[in-house]
DNA sequence: TTCCGGGACC
DNA sequence: GGTCCCGGAA
């Protein structure tokens, strides 16, 4: 068992001893139908089933943090062909990395992935670490990504907790919606309690629960009729209470925000980078967005984030 | 046209 | 709990 952190409470302290025992029994009953469903319905993705390196799994997980798996496939394939390992990515020009990241979104993550590659190449003999603490210390790798790498790439027994898994486990075992926000101690403890004790089975369990959440037990319109767990699902038995409900989160409108403006500038630079120098003049940038004050603010923040370089104080380009 | 999900980091 | 981005769903 890979320990997540030293100060983690025992799962059954959080869930309750008898509740934990009952959840374990249910989990054992669900394994057979869930794994049978997984065998038939799992999508064949190029990073699954040991067809790529641990580094390839990491790249996929980082890309998937913000994008559906299906859209990631062409990006991941081109990326791994170009930079098959950490050392290759570490040596790439930042501009190339940002350009290859394309429209995946959150370009700072592309830079973090490259920073991660530099550390792995320089300090880990180009081999992705195999323990939770070292992984989470790397740039851009948090709890989810570290757990996913340990489970999917290394076959370690560790619970993976992402929103799909939280939603499925909360519905099936607790009969209620996972409301979003940070994972509660209960949700984390539940994931630990229901994880199969056998390492290999635990990796399949993680992937199958996640896949079920992506394909069947979706947030708004779960296809309960097609669900392999429907006969024992506490959420379905309870009449799917508060289906689709989420913690109301303060959500910034996208239109007109700095975020949109930053995205427009980055997109323009990606499209420009084939040119000899790839420099976008301040005048040309001014045509991208009417509010010059906001535009300058965004250019400054992109520069601070290392996503662009300011040339001669008068133009911008993707960083060298 | 608007709304919304997704994980890391602060 | 706010910010970072995009595309697809509503």
């Amino acid at each position: 068992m890979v320990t997540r952190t030293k100060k983690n409470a025992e799962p059954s302290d959080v869930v309750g001893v008898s509740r934990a025992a009952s959840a374990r029994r249910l989990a054992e009953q669900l394994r057979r139908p869930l794994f049978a469903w997984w065998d038939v319905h799992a999508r064949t993705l190029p990073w699954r089933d040991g067809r790529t390196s641990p580094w390839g799994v990491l790249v996929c997980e980082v890309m998937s943090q913000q994008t559906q798996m299906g859209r990631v496939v062409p990006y991941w394939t081109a990326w791994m062909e170009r930079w098959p390992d950490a050392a290759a990515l570490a040596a790439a020009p930042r501009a190339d990395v940002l350009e290859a990241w394309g429209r995946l979104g959150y370009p700072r993550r592309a830079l973090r992935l490259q920073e991660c590659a530099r550390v792995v190449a320089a300090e880990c003999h180009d081999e992705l670490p195999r323990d939770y603490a070292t992984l989470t210390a790397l740039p851009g790798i948090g709890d989810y990504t570290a757990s996913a790498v340990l489970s999917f790439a290394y076959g370690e027994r560790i619970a993976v907790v992402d929103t799909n898994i939280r939603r499925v486990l909360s519905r099936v075992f607790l009969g209620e919606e996972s409301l979003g926000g940070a994972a509660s101690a209960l949700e984390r403890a539940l994931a630990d309690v229901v994880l199969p004790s056998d390492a290999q089975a635990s990796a399949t369990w993680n992937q199958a629960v996640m896949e079920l959440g992506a394909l069947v037990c979706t947030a708004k319109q779960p296809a309960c009729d097609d669900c392999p767990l429907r006969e024992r699902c506490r959420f379905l038995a309870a009449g799917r209470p508060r289906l689709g409900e989420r913690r109301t989160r303060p959500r910034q409108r996208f239109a007109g925000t700095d975020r949109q403006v930053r995205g427009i500038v980055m997109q323009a630079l990606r499209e420009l980078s084939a040119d000899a120098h790839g420099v976008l003049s301040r005048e040309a940038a001014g045509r991208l967005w009417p509010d010059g004050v906001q535009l300058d603010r965004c250019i400054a923040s992109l520069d601070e984030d290392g996503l662009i370089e300011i040339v001669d104080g008068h133009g911008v380009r993707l960083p060298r």
Side-chain angles (χ1 to χ4, degrees), chain A residues 148-291:
Chain A
V149 164
L150 289 170
S151 179
F152 305 152
Y154 288 125
E156 298 278 359
R157 182 179 181 276
I158 183 169
V160 175
V161 180
D162 78 335
T163 55
N164 276 332
I165 290 181
R166 286 168 62 192
R167 184 175 61 252
V168 173
L169 296 184
S170 177
R171 283 177 177 171
V172 173
F173 290 92
L174 307 178
E176 58 192 41
E177 285 287 34
S178 169
L179 293 182
S184 67
L186 176 62
E187 289 177 322
R188 191 172 290 290
L190 176 63
D192 285 334
V193 160
V194 300
L195 191 69
S197 53
D198 170 67
Q200 191 177 331
S202 74
T204 305
W205 172 269
N206 284 326
Q207 297 210 88
V209 173
M210 198 182 298
E211 190 82 337
L212 191 72
L215 300 182
V216 174
C217 193
T218 57
K220 289 177 186 165
Q221 294 183 326
C224 298
D225 290 347
D226 304 325
C227 180
L229 312 183
R230 63 186 177 281
E231 285 171 19
R232 299 188 187 276
C233 175
R234 292 180 177 165
F235 186 64
L236 184 57
R240 312 203 297 184
R242 301 162 79 188
L243 173 65
E245 193 168 309
R246 300 287 289 170
R247 190 164 293 147
T248 54
R249 50 181 184 145
R251 199 186 162 78
Q252 183 190 41
R253 297 253 178 285
F254 180 63
T257 58
D258 285 5
R259 236 156 135 180
Q260 182 188 18
V261 179
R262 286 165 56 106
I264 288 169
V265 172
M266 289 302 292
Q267 187 187 349
L269 286 175
R270 283 194 305 267
E271 289 167 357
L272 206 86
S273 68
D275 296 2
H277 302 294
V279 176
L280 183 72
S281 69
R282 178 60 184 82
E283 289 71 31
R287 277 175 242 123
L288 296 172
W289 192 252
D291 182 343

